Amino acid sequence: MKALVALADGTVFEGRALGSGGECLGEMVFNTSMTGYQEMLTDPSYGGQILVPTYPMIGNYGTSEADVESNRVQVNGFVVREDCEEPSHPLSEGTIHDYLLKNGIPGISGVDTRAVTRKLR
């Protein structure tokens, strides 16, 4: 399903729906880490924000309840370049899509997150 990210300056990025779908509002922020996407999602410092990791592949080692920073997902939305549909870690409990869906978080995949980051800066 088609999804959009619209910035306050009128810039629109198109991609495909990830997670729960729907609309979300929030301050958009980026993170340049290469790992730790589940920790980012559950980090209280990202509470109410829309998170954009700049690393191009998110979800390659899946998700696990052992990798959380708080008792819930804190972000309002998640924007990624590419989500991995087949995690490779033996302890993975699911995909990033399933994790977002389970927690009611809308996301979008297929977005040039580095271009988004340049706009945010």
Side-chain angles (χ1 to χ4, degrees):
M1 177 186 297
K2 181 178 164 180
L4 301 172
V5 171
L7 303 180
D9 71 355
T11 304
V12 176
F13 294 91
E14 186 175 319
R16 66 177 178 80
L18 179 67
S20 71
E23 293 183 11
C24 71
L25 295 171
E27 175 187 27
M28 188 171 283
V29 296
F30 63 90
N31 184 298
T32 59
S33 297
M34 294 176 64
T35 61
Y37 50 84
Q38 191 173 354
E39 291 87 345
M40 289 179 225
L41 291 170
T42 58
D43 185 335
S45 70
Y46 289 118
Q49 297 176 320
I50 300 170
L51 181 59
V52 183
T54 59
Y55 193 73
M57 166 71 73
I58 299 297
N60 55 321
Y61 55 85
T63 60
S64 168
E65 287 304 315
D67 295 327
V68 298
E69 297 293 314
S70 67
N71 62 356
R72 68 179 182 85
V73 174
Q74 300 287 333
V75 302
N76 280 1
F78 199 45
V79 180
V80 302
R81 172 71 181 129
E82 182 180 353
D83 64 299
C84 179
E85 297 176 2
E86 295 182 25
S88 61
H89 196 283
L91 299 178
S92 172
E93 297 169 3
T95 67
I96 192 68
H97 170 75
D98 292 337
Y99 187 74
L100 294 172
L101 185 61
K102 173 182 155 191
N103 288 281
I105 305 300
I108 182 171
S109 181
V111 174
D112 183 348
T113 55
R114 293 176 184 193
V116 173
T117 300
R118 284 191 298 273
K119 285 294 250 179
L120 296 177
R121 285 189 16 221

